[in-house]
Amino acid sequence: MSDFKESSASGRLITQERKRLAFFGLPFTFTKYLLTEKKLIVYSGFFTTTEEEILLYRVLDISRKRNLFQKMFGLGTITLSSQDKSMPVLEIKNVKNSNDFKNILSEQVECEKKRMNVRAGEFMGVS
């Protein structure tokens, strides 16, 4: 984790969240979501840690859903669709303040697309 904070290639850290247990919303899992200016990074695992990332300009769609237990404990699941080959669909499960996290993520995606001069047609193969 300290390697991440020292890396300027990822951009400035915007926010972070943990995957939580659906029951009581406690953060007793080993999955972290870090949102930077340029990418969303997912760290998971305890003995073996996996790090995956999605560049924000590649995100196509963001949605949020909440079941009854998630509503009771203030959680939600955010689903990202992207042009990423290794992770075309990412579910960010059981995050606290899911609406706020989704809104921040959406704003960062739009900022990064503007910065990179990416148009929607570039992803669809339309010129």
Side-chain angles (χ1 to χ4, degrees):
M1 192 69 124
S2 62
D3 295 339
F4 173 78
K5 291 181 181 177
E6 295 170 7
S7 173
S8 62
S10 298
R12 180 177 58 88
L13 179 64
I14 303 297
T15 189
Q16 62 183 1
E17 186 55 72
R18 282 189 167 277
K19 180 179 177 183
R20 297 169 185 271
L21 298 175
F23 193 67
F24 293 123
L26 299 173
F28 293 139
T29 65
F30 299 101
T31 302
K32 289 183 183 178
Y33 306 103
L34 299 171
L35 177 63
T36 72
E37 294 171 321
K38 298 178 182 180
K39 50 181 95 166
L40 176 67
I41 304 169
V42 180
Y43 292 99
S44 59
F46 180 68
F47 292 111
T48 302
T49 303
T50 303
E51 177 183 334
E52 297 187 61
E53 62 184 46
I54 293 179
L55 296 171
L56 294 181
Y57 77 89
R58 300 188 73 131
V59 173
L60 299 174
D61 189 42
I62 304 171
S63 64
R64 179 178 77 120
K65 67 179 178 180
R66 299 172 70 201
N67 62 33
L68 179 61
F69 285 110
Q70 288 174 322
K71 287 179 186 178
M72 288 173 44
F73 298 111
L75 305 173
T77 297
I78 300 167
T79 304
L80 294 176
S81 299
S82 75
Q83 288 290 93
D84 191 84
K85 297 289 184 193
S86 65
M87 207 175 355
V89 176
L90 169 64
E91 278 194 334
I92 303 171
K93 295 181 181 180
N94 297 329
V95 292
K96 196 166 189 145
N97 303 316
S98 60
N99 194 46
D100 293 339
F101 190 82
K102 177 187 169 283
N103 290 337
I104 292 168
L105 178 61
S106 183
E107 288 173 18
Q108 280 307 123
V109 166
E110 290 305 313
C111 287
E112 186 63 6
K113 284 183 178 183
K114 284 180 186 175
R115 187 184 77 77
M116 298 288 290
N117 292 322
V118 175
R119 298 181 324 221
E122 292 177 26
F123 288 117
M124 303 300 174
V126 178
S127 31

